[in-house]
Amino acid sequence: MAFFKISNVEVKGIAACVPSHIDENINYPIPEEDIKKLISSVGIERKRVAGNDVCTSDLCCKAAEMLLADLKWQKEDIDCLIFVTQTPDYIIPATSCILQERLGLKEECYALDISLGCSGYVYGMSTIASLMTGGFFKKGLLLVGDTISKMSSEEDKSTWPLFGDAGTATAFEYNTEAENIYFHVATDGSGKDAIIINDGGYRNMVSDVSFEMKDYDGGIKRSDLNIVLDGMDVFSFAVSKAPQTINKLCENFEINRENIDYYIFHQANLFLNETVRRKMKIDKAKVPYSLKNFGNTSSASIPLTMVTEIREQLTTRKLNLIGCGFGVGLSWGSVAFSTTNIVCPELVIY
């Protein structure tokens, strides 16, 4: 079973960065009545879209620079850097290597890319905390984000109104007095086709046909280089697995759910997330949303929601939190952790 706990590691700060360009869903070119229904269902009124010259690494770099400055950490003290994204700068080299140089980190810095989307923040936390628990690495950066708009067809109403772009940075520090961090993670690759880009990898390499725009039913037009989202399959998966992973986490580690201040869900869409919340009988006040203004930001959605929705609480008191990510892979997981008066700069606009 994929349960484990990490000791001696604590979160010291979280920062987030989004592009300056705002895309209003009400302007999406379908009948006004249809777009209003869509907005009401998914809960996304607008999102941030990166320009052609802005990559996920740029957003994460800006977030990291702000966070390091506010923490007053010396860059030469960073021992490891984990970068989680599905939109890297290049096929090779790993973008974490590029970020090590851009941020001015030392050469003897452990740098690693992880290719995950919706569950990426939970998996990223588990990776960096596992690396740091032994005390050999004292300070680490987890950079998580995606620019999913670059994957989505503007003529696909099943994806374009949903996905926003963002990059985040989370700082971790070794501390033998830190409270444990608890994880449950899971994977089901049989559901890979639910969220997929068919061409562009080495299974189906890019060809002339890859660029052809194809018409599908229901106002969907895309190429094989655009993201495909099977909404019904994803909904069925998420409303089952999200409650399961949180319940399993709490039961296995005897976590009292009454002591949890906030549940930070991956920001899939409002209807889906509210179905999960009601199914789990969680108080509305304990489930913050960044969906309205930022959309589904893939791997960045959990830390972005923390920065934009509960920043004041993060910086002024102790919080007991559960984060839950679920989606592409199919992959899902949950994490229970605490923060105490952490550094959390205001949202960075790039």
Side-chain angles (χ1 to χ4, degrees):
M1 292 185 293
F3 294 103
F4 54 101
K5 67 178 179 180
I6 305 293
S7 57
N8 306 328
V9 182
E10 63 180 346
V11 175
K12 298 298 290 184
I14 302 176
C17 176
V18 295
S20 59
H21 177 69
I22 301 173
D23 186 68
E24 296 283 352
N25 272 341
I26 195 64
N27 297 326
Y28 191 67
I30 59 175
E32 184 177 357
E33 183 178 349
D34 291 348
I35 192 60
K36 285 183 176 180
K37 286 181 180 178
L38 180 62
I39 292 171
S40 176
S41 175
V42 302
I44 301 168
E45 294 186 8
R46 62 193 59 85
K47 69 271 187 194
R48 301 290 179 129
V49 176
N52 292 334
D53 59 342
V54 175
C55 289
T56 304
S57 61
D58 299 317
L59 302 176
C60 287
C61 190
K62 289 292 183 182
E65 288 172 340
M66 178 65 75
L67 183 58
L68 291 173
D70 283 12
L71 283 167
K72 297 180 172 57
W73 279 11
Q74 300 302 308
K75 292 184 176 182
E76 59 266 25
D77 292 336
I78 305 299
D79 297 309
C80 55
L81 183 157
I82 307 297
F83 181 55
V84 182
T85 192
Q86 293 181 124
T87 48
D89 285 15
Y90 305 99
I91 294 176
I92 56 173
T95 308
S96 56
C97 299
I98 297 169
L99 284 163
Q100 172 270 332
E101 190 273 334
R102 285 185 65 181
L103 288 168
L105 308 185
K106 61 190 176 185
E107 289 186 356
E108 294 179 341
C109 176
Y110 182 108
L112 176 70
D113 278 22
I114 297 175
S115 177
L116 272 178
C118 315
S119 64
Y121 191 68
V122 175
Y123 273 84
M125 280 188 71
S126 71
T127 302
I128 197 167
S130 297
L131 286 169
M132 296 179 65
T133 186
F136 295 102
F137 296 161
K138 303 298 185 185
K139 293 181 178 179
L141 283 177
L142 174 64
L143 306 185
V144 180
D146 277 301
T147 45
I148 297 296
S149 68
K150 297 180 184 296
M151 299 176 167
S152 182
S153 165
E154 292 188 44
E155 298 179 80
D156 182 350
K157 74 173 187 180
S158 70
T159 60
W160 183 258
L162 301 183
F163 292 111
D165 301 333
T168 68
T170 306
F172 292 81
E173 187 168 30
Y174 177 77
N175 179 0
T176 56
E177 297 182 358
E179 295 188 34
N180 291 331
I181 306 176
Y182 301 98
F183 295 92
H184 171 262
V185 293
T187 309
D188 180 10
S190 70
K192 66 178 177 59
D193 291 331
I195 310 172
I196 193 171
I197 296 176
N198 286 296
D199 287 9
Y202 293 100
R203 178 67 59 190
N204 300 310
M205 296 182 69
V206 176
S207 68
D208 290 343
V209 176
S210 302
F211 294 92
E212 293 179 1
M213 298 297 288
K214 303 172 185 176
D215 282 305
Y216 298 85
D217 291 336
I220 296 172
K221 188 176 182 180
R222 61 172 179 254
S223 77
D224 289 335
L225 295 173
N226 295 136
I227 191 168
V228 178
L229 174 67
D230 188 324
M232 292 304 297
D233 280 357
V234 172
F235 180 86
S236 298
F237 150 76
V239 298
S240 169
K241 298 302 185 183
Q244 281 183 21
T245 182
I246 294 174
N247 287 332
K248 287 181 178 181
L249 179 77
C250 293
E251 291 167 6
N252 189 77
F253 293 110
E254 299 181 343
I255 297 168
N256 184 350
R257 285 179 47 183
E258 295 301 314
N259 294 333
I260 301 301
D261 294 295
Y262 293 104
Y263 294 80
I264 317 297
F265 291 132
H266 164 58
Q267 304 289 286
N269 70 66
L270 186 62
F271 180 68
L272 189 160
N273 284 42
E274 278 293 282
T275 302
V276 172
R277 183 191 66 79
R278 289 193 297 267
K279 189 173 184 179
M280 298 193 67
K281 299 179 180 178
I282 302 173
D283 191 315
K284 263 191 172 184
K286 290 190 173 187
V287 183
Y289 287 112
S290 59
L291 274 166
K292 178 180 177 181
N293 294 315
F294 300 100
N296 178 339
T297 51
S298 187
S299 60
S301 68
I302 292 174
L304 177 66
T305 300
M306 294 172 69
V307 170
T308 59
E309 307 306 316
I310 59 170
R311 177 175 175 268
E312 181 180 354
Q313 295 90 324
L314 286 167
T315 58
T316 57
R317 65 186 180 95
K318 178 181 178 181
L319 295 177
N320 296 317
L321 305 169
I322 285 181
C324 180
F326 44 87
V328 61
L330 294 166
S331 174
W332 65 100
S334 54
V335 54
F337 63 108
S338 298
T339 63
T340 304
N341 296 33
I342 66 172
V343 169
C344 187
E346 290 187 0
L347 181 67
V348 181
I349 309 297
Y350 177 61

